[in-house]
Amino acid sequence: MFRTALRNVLAHKARLLMTVLAVMLGVAFVSGTLVFTDTLSSAFRSQSAKSYDDVAVAVTTYADQSDAQQAGLSQKTVDRIAGLDGVASVTGRVDGFAGVAGPDGKLIGAGWSNKGSNFAPGKDGKDTAYDFVQGSGPVRDDQIALDKDTAAEGGYQVGERVRVATNGPVKEYTLAGVFTTDDGAVNAGGSLVLFDTPVAQALYLKPGYFTNLTVTAAPGADDDRILAAVQPLVPESATAQTGAALADEQAKAIEEGLSGLNQMLLGFAGIALFVGVFLISNTFTMLVAQRTKELALMRAVGASRKQITRSVLAEAGVVGLVASVVGFALGIGLAAGLRSGMAAFGMKVPEGALVIGTTPLIAALGVGVLITMLAAWLPGRRAARIPPVAAMSSVHAIATTKSLVVRNSIGAVITAVGAALIVVGASTGSDGRWTIAGGAFLALIGVIVLIPLLSRPVIALVRPLMVRAFGVSGKLAAQNAVRNPRRTGATASALAIGLTLVTGLSVLGVTVGAALDKMTTDQIKADYMVVMAGGGDLDRSALTALEKAPGATAVSPQQAATFEIDGEWVSASAITPGDVERVLNVEVVNGSLDSLGEGRMAVAEKTATKQGWKVGDTLPVTFSDEKKGRLTLGAVYKDTEFLSPVLVDTKVVAPHEVKPFIPQIFVKMDGGETAANEKALVSALGDNPAISVMDKQDIRDEFGGMINMLLNIMYGLLAMALIIAVLGVVNTLAMSVFERQQEIGMLRAIGLDRRRVKRMVRLEAVVISVFGAVVGIGLGSFLGWAIGQTIKSSLPGYALVIPWDRIGLFMLLAALVGVLAAMWPARSAARLNMLNAIKAE
């Protein structure tokens, strides 16, 4: 039986090609994902281990310039640690944001990964963390050093002047040297600026203090003993670990960080393989149907039902094995491509070879072979149950509507249960997401089971249009599409699954994007929003500069602050009274915002209701520096996403903060949004490359751009499933044409010319594809609505938006898929010799 299975594989190479491609693509996705994430993990682990090779003990703090309680590690502490037995040296580090201006004045790097640190030379004048390829480290206040990539991108040479932005005004420094480094900021596509240590301390912490320390051991010294001696010398807020422990901790963090990416990619690989199941099952169903007489003869000469089933499974196993091997090789190439492609997004992966372990290989072979055999099991079992006499006399039947009664009943029940769970999940808010996920799975399975039944009435609706538009070709195409409802259903199911996911994502993404856009438009009156690159905080000097900018009529920061009211910590927004109403839409429910200028506070409506506060109440307050005071409630306003639950004047919190945290500043200009006004603001800020001046459209893009980017990534990943669905349409049509050789020959003989034969096959493909698209779009829209209901309460202005333009595009693409998929089968059908076709068995 195995020889028979092998012979059948070799005899039907062309017909099995699409199955091989489907399995190969799915396996490539799985193995490529595993190899890619293993390679990244290994590269970052090696880099992490290398970074701590010479570190005996590392001391880490969360020192913050704006927090007097977290002052960091003093020089006195450094000296005491340096004097311990077994300690060879102690290096102090302090770091923060630093952005380098390119030749065009714009920021080099990604913003969030632009970093500044200190050059900490040892007795030999070298800093072991950096290898200088040009010049040397900065040793004066006006000097800096740059990483090699940043210097190259900016075209800077040693001795030239470089504009550098930190959280304060832009300053010019002389480039003293260029270095290479394994620093994570540079590997993330950012930049690294090294300052002289006193300069870095003044910029990021305070003179004489460090954020972190690295301790190196003298030859023969024990790291654990040094750690035990260091721990009593550092403050309670600091963490001391051995270099080996810190390297292990970072490696674990890297693996956890990559696990999300791994799971997401494997999830899409699973979707692709799930879609592939329908293609494989369809292929083997048709192959078995075409060999029914052959199988019947084998039964007649002594083959048992189990042997017939095993023969089909062996055939599937051979196909799966071949596809898995090729897919694994393709997956390795995919992993290498993904690694190289990261550079296009500014991500730099540490050097290292591709890691090809046993897990990806076993997963590739296991998944490919098992998926193929699982999909082929039902066709094989069905073939084995056909009585030999019935098979040889062609009495075995194509499934009629009656034979599908049990299937349809089961499908209807599963679909109803799934739909009910989705509705229940949608009605329970954010807690119902897992209920919706379970319901979506059941609904999808139920619809897939029901698709053969749905195909007849749905296609019957379009048959008159096809007859009127395309005549005989249209009528024959519609009849062919419903001739075998199971085959049509399985082919359409593959497209339906892909489009269910694509449509669901589109409905949800467009709806959320519209809500964010509406929120932005309704709540922001300002012409511009000024922010720091990468989401950092702005210096107070930026606010002062904007207040003095020509044409600025209202300027208010959205300064973050926290304090304790009535024993409970709350977040607050410190703003400029009088200006805040002109730059943001603050709807007052009770009291007046003018009271903010008198040193009072305003509270959001939900917070006031929850706490039982009302206008006129005087409440005890503990500020961030633990000083106490009392604030009177002067106004209650409607909740807004752009402000915290409490509003106060910046003057109220100023005495209690070393450095204000200002993430955003809103500006209203005389004359509104104009190129001249924008230029005036940029000039007022000193042409700082690290500060973005955003108009209303930029603000919309800032909030909605992430949604569109995520949608595009999802579309790209789901493209794999849709490609497999297209292969399914091609395969179904090609094998259907082979089965209908006699019929096509007769049609040719009675006058149907080649052009109309091609049209018939193409229309059949379009009908099946559009049918699958209609089912997928309908189910996807339903799921998009349900998931949207779970986030409705947390997104003001949420209202369901059906993206009719995208849905129309999906329908056109489905029709195009049908046309393209039919090209080869239609050409084959039209080229059949009518006499040979009529004689065909």
Side-chain angles (χ1 to χ4, degrees), residues 153-178:
E153 189 172 343
Y156 293 119
Q157 301 293 326
V158 172
E160 291 184 348
R161 300 289 282 176
V162 180
R163 296 177 73 242
V164 178
T166 54
N167 283 10
V170 180
K171 292 183 180 179
E172 281 197 354
Y173 298 85
T174 300
L175 183 61
V178 176

Side-chain angles (χ1 to χ4, degrees), residues 736-808:
S736 178
V737 166
F738 180 82
E739 286 179 358
R740 302 203 306 261
Q741 285 187 81
Q742 268 192 335
E743 175 190 319
I744 292 170
M746 289 295 296
L747 289 170
R748 290 288 314 284
I750 61 174
L752 195 69
D753 58 25
R754 288 183 174 180
R755 182 172 56 85
R756 284 189 286 181
V757 168
K758 284 183 180 180
R759 185 185 297 165
M760 174 187 73
V761 177
R762 281 197 296 265
L763 288 173
E764 182 181 346
V766 170
V767 167
I768 294 173
S769 299
V770 172
F771 168 59
V774 168
V775 173
I777 288 169
L779 185 55
S781 299
F782 180 48
L783 289 177
W785 164 80
I787 297 170
Q789 292 298 109
T790 66
I791 61 175
K792 186 176 181 180
S793 59
S794 60
L795 195 59
Y798 179 93
L800 181 68
V801 177
I802 302 295
W804 295 111
D805 53 343
R806 298 193 189 195
I807 286 175

Side-chain angles (χ1 to χ4, degrees), residues 148-471:
K148 185 180 177 181
D149 290 339
T150 302
E153 189 172 343
Y156 293 119
Q157 301 293 326
V158 172
E160 291 184 348
R161 300 289 282 176
V162 180
R163 296 177 73 242
V164 178
T166 54
N167 283 10
V170 180
K171 292 183 180 179
E172 281 197 354
Y173 298 85
T174 300
L175 183 61
V178 176
F179 58 88
T180 59
T181 178
D182 290 327
D183 190 280
V186 177
N187 284 325
S191 61
L192 178 59
V193 181
L194 294 182
F195 300 93
D196 187 29
T197 296
V199 175
Q201 289 175 327
L203 285 171
Y204 301 127
L205 203 55
K206 64 180 182 178
Y209 280 80
F210 298 95
T211 309
N212 306 307
L213 302 179
T214 55
V215 182
T216 55
D222 181 71
D223 291 355
D224 290 324
R225 286 187 179 179
I226 295 175
L227 174 64
V230 166
Q231 284 175 328
L233 301 180
V234 299
E236 291 182 4
S237 58
T239 303
Q241 295 172 281
T242 62
L246 191 57
D248 289 341
E249 186 180 285
Q250 287 202 359
K252 186 178 178 182
I254 288 165
E255 287 181 2
E256 289 175 356
L258 290 173
S259 67
L261 174 65
N262 193 28
Q263 289 169 11
M264 182 184 72
L265 292 175
L266 286 176
F268 284 100
I271 292 168
L273 287 167
F274 185 55
V275 171
V277 166
F278 294 94
L279 189 158
I280 299 163
S281 181
N282 229 10
T283 301
F284 279 94
T285 297
M286 289 186 282
L287 284 175
V288 167
Q290 292 168 11
R291 301 205 311 266
T292 303
K293 288 188 178 181
E294 174 191 325
L295 295 174
L297 282 172
M298 292 174 68
R299 288 286 312 281
V301 297
S304 67
R305 287 184 175 182
K306 287 184 178 179
Q307 285 179 309
I308 295 295
T309 303
R310 283 199 294 265
S311 173
V312 176
L313 289 177
E315 189 175 337
V318 171
V319 171
L321 183 62
V322 171
S324 296
V325 171
V326 178
F328 179 67
L330 188 62
I332 294 172
L334 179 64
L338 284 171
R339 181 177 173 178
S340 301
M342 289 183 73
F345 294 94
M347 297 290 290
K348 300 167 190 175
V349 181
E351 293 296 326
L354 281 177
V355 178
I356 305 171
T358 55
T359 301
L361 178 60
I362 293 170
L365 293 174
V367 167
V369 174
L370 287 176
I371 289 289
T372 310
M373 293 181 70
L374 178 66
W377 174 75
L378 194 58
R381 184 170 174 269
R382 195 182 297 130
R385 294 177 65 181
I386 298 173
V389 174
M392 283 189 278
S393 59
S394 297
V395 177
H396 66 289
I398 292 172
T400 62
T401 305
K402 273 190 177 181
S403 71
L404 298 171
V405 169
V406 175
R407 172 183 176 143
N408 295 333
S409 301
I410 293 171
V413 170
I414 294 173
T415 304
V417 172
L421 286 174
I422 291 171
V423 172
V424 169
S427 63
T428 54
S430 59
D431 295 330
R433 287 168 192 167
W434 284 108
T435 306
I436 291 175
F441 178 75
L442 290 176
L444 194 58
I445 296 297
V447 168
I448 288 167
V449 173
L450 280 176
I451 271 186
L453 176 66
L454 295 172
S455 64
R456 288 181 179 274
V458 173
I459 294 175
L461 289 174
V462 298
R463 186 186 299 170
L465 296 175
M466 295 177 66
V467 173
R468 281 200 296 272
F470 303 103

